[in-house]
Amino acid sequence: MTSEITLFVNPTAGRGRGAHAAQPAASALRDAGFSVRTVLGEDADDALRRAREAVAAGTGALIAVGGDGLMSLALQAVAGTATPLGVVAVGTGNDFARALGLPIRDPAAAGRLAARALKDGGHREIDLGRVGGRWFGTVLASGFDSRVNDRGNRMRFVGGRFKYDLAILAELAAFKPITYRIRLDGGEVREIEATLIAVGNGTTYGGGMRICADAEMDDGLFDVTVVGECTRTELLKVFPKVYKGAHLTHPAVTVHRVSSIELVAAGVTAYADGEPMGALPLTATCVPGAVRVLTGG
């Protein structure tokens, strides 16, 4: 393994935390004897191109410093390769790091963990979801939750968690159940009325909402959480339970464990790792052992 590694940085993550986090993470890695090269990029496309170039050139690891958006870009660069991924989670949601039990908003600790893992071989091979040519690590959202994302992205006058709460209230006022056609593991097509369908490789989205609370990242399967047809009143009762995963026992909720799912619905945009994946229809496939993550044990 080469001693040169690549720090892949989003300087704007977490309202500027990415830029501040790069230094202590890099210092921890250099103190452990690694040569650190930093990749920034002028925009997302340029950053991904540079990250892929580093992987192709044989970097010893790609260490992503940012939030789930940057982790998503990093996955596009390392998935299906032998290059390990390190995670320095300093964004707003940090669901990828949370699902793996990695340090959150502690870049020095995350850098030390990555350094130990590189020296000791401490990594974990995890599954990833794939839609067409794009990979995701946590949850693919479609339905009420993705419409909240849509609305939140259009709100320019507020930020942070308050923006998400406002978007939830606005979507509740306009909410109607969605007609889906789904196919699980290539089986028969079923038509259902549902509030949302979440496809979980990881457990959480939205900064800790345990929508797919029992998902395992190395079992070769998605946990697909289907929240069935609900009234607005019932949805208001169920939604807060998502933070503890207690919604899974509600009679309107079902969970399927599958390796692939086809989703069809009109007027629904899917999001994965908090990033837009495009309008339905789509097919998501679980790819076992698609990436090696530095976990320290």
Side-chain angles (χ1 to χ4, degrees):
M1 182 197 71
T2 177
S3 63
E4 182 179 277
I5 60 177
T6 301
L7 210 63
F8 186 38
V9 181
N10 179 0
T12 64
R15 299 182 181 179
R17 281 193 296 267
H20 296 294
Q23 185 173 350
S27 295
L29 290 158
R30 290 190 178 107
D31 288 346
F34 292 97
S35 172
V36 179
R37 173 176 172 263
T38 300
V39 166
L40 289 170
E42 296 176 1
D43 54 31
D45 289 341
D46 184 54
L48 178 55
R49 178 184 63 78
R50 291 170 186 256
R52 282 175 166 157
E53 287 175 352
V55 170
T59 187
L62 188 71
I63 313 293
V65 184
D68 286 325
L70 189 79
M71 300 307 155
S72 177
L73 277 182
L75 290 177
Q76 313 313 310
V78 300
T81 76
T83 303
L85 173 66
V87 178
V88 179
V90 292
T92 303
N94 304 310
D95 288 296
F96 187 71
R98 184 176 283 105
L100 292 165
L102 297 174
I104 292 174
R105 296 180 189 148
D106 189 343
R112 291 192 296 269
L113 183 149
R116 287 197 305 271
L118 284 165
K119 288 189 170 185
D120 301 338
H123 68 267
R124 179 180 173 187
E125 291 190 359
I126 66 167
D127 312 332
L128 294 177
R130 188 164 191 173
V131 177
R134 291 183 61 187
W135 302 89
F136 67 92
T138 56
V139 177
L140 183 147
S142 73
F144 176 76
D145 44 7
S146 64
R147 287 180 173 172
V148 168
N149 255 322
D150 280 337
R151 187 176 290 271
N153 289 340
R154 295 194 300 268
M155 290 180 172
R156 304 297 183 188
F157 56 92
V158 289
R161 183 76 206 176
F162 184 58
K163 177 170 74 172
Y164 190 78
D165 291 339
L166 282 178
I168 288 175
L169 291 173
E171 279 304 312
L172 277 171
F175 176 73
K176 293 180 180 178
I178 297 164
T179 301
Y180 286 89
R181 293 196 305 278
I182 67 171
R183 187 197 302 266
L184 305 175
D185 283 340
E188 66 179 22
V189 175
R190 299 165 51 202
E191 186 169 295
I192 61 172
E193 297 291 316
T195 300
L196 65 86
I197 298 178
V199 181
N201 182 57
T203 53
T204 69
Y205 63 9
M209 300 172 73
R210 297 177 58 79
I211 187 68
C212 300
D214 296 330
E216 298 285 347
M217 299 183 84
D218 55 5
D219 63 356
L221 297 172
F222 292 132
D223 273 31
V224 178
T225 300
V226 179
V227 179
E229 190 172 358
C230 289
T231 64
R232 291 187 186 90
T233 301
E234 196 64 23
L235 187 56
L236 278 169
K237 291 179 182 177
V238 173
F239 213 74
K241 297 181 179 181
V242 173
Y243 287 95
K244 294 184 177 180
H247 64 293
L248 296 181
T249 60
H250 191 279
V253 177
T254 56
V255 177
H256 308 273
R257 289 192 171 91
V258 299
S259 59
S260 69
I261 180 170
E262 298 174 35
L263 290 170
V264 180
V268 176
T269 299
Y271 283 75
D273 296 338
E275 300 296 307
M277 293 289 282
L280 271 53
L282 62 75
T283 299
T285 303
C286 186
V287 181
V291 67
R292 300 167 62 209
V293 180
L294 299 172
T295 57

